[in-house]
Amino acid sequence: MFSVSKFWATFFYVGLLRPAPGTWGSAAAVIAAWGIIEWRGYVALAALTVIMFVLGWAVTSMETKGKDDHDPSEIVIDEVVGQWIALLPVAVGISHAGVSFWTLWPGVVTAFIAFRLFDIWKPGPVGWADRKEGPLGVMLDDVIAGVLAALVVMLGAWISHG
């Protein structure tokens, strides 16, 4: 039976892929970001990131209601939001340089790897957010991991052009 909340929580059912559904979700987020950035640029990516955060919070609440597992692995909309945050500096760079998405592939790869590492390792504030119960905690740890990854991307760009 089709469920709208499951469709979005799993990001078009990508979260059902095994192994490593979070990595699959992040990879799908990169592909989606590519399309969004080429379509309407970094402003669209930023706006859709905010919309996906709110949607993610809502569908995660629906998908986990009454269940013992408050953060099931098939829910990957949180990875999408975090990955898009990590890619925002790349999106801004694309706009300023007037180039296509894959021209800045080192930033894309750095955003992907840094986000996955922070999401898996859960250092400091990422771990704090991950320990919060409920849908906000599910979303927030990936938001923080995305911010940290975005900082790594910006540091890498600064070092390579400094």
Side-chain angles (χ1 to χ4, degrees):
M1 170 150 90
F2 178 77
S3 161
V4 173
S5 62
K6 185 175 192 106
F7 179 77
W8 283 107
T10 61
F11 197 63
F12 310 102
Y13 301 115
V14 169
L16 302 177
L17 296 174
R18 297 289 182 266
T23 301
W24 286 109
S26 293
V30 170
I31 301 302
W34 173 26
I36 294 163
I37 293 165
E38 294 289 332
W39 172 59
R40 288 286 187 237
Y42 72 91
V43 173
L45 183 65
L48 287 171
T49 300
V50 172
I51 291 166
M52 286 295 264
F53 176 83
V54 173
L55 177 66
W57 191 349
V59 298
T60 299
S61 178
M62 290 179 223
E63 287 298 307
T64 59
K65 187 174 182 162
K67 297 179 182 170
D68 291 335
D69 188 358
H70 81 282
D71 192 1
S73 63
E74 68 266 10
I75 294 177
V76 296
I77 195 167
D78 51 331
E79 272 82 13
V80 172
V81 170
Q83 189 65 69
W84 285 359
I85 291 168
L87 287 166
L88 278 171
V90 176
V92 171
I94 288 166
S95 173
H96 289 308
V99 297
S100 67
F101 185 80
W102 294 109
T103 303
L104 297 184
W105 68 266
V108 174
V109 171
T110 300
F112 180 80
I113 292 171
F115 173 70
R116 290 309 301 142
L117 287 175
F118 287 127
D119 188 31
I120 293 165
W121 176 34
K122 302 202 184 303
V126 182
W128 167 82
D130 185 59
R131 290 186 295 276
K132 294 202 140 322
E133 293 290 323
L136 178 60
V138 172
M139 297 301 296
L140 197 56
D141 74 307
D142 291 278
V143 166
I144 296 169
V147 168
L148 294 176
L151 292 172
V152 170
V153 170
M154 290 188 290
L155 180 62
W158 179 73
I159 289 170
S160 70
H161 291 94

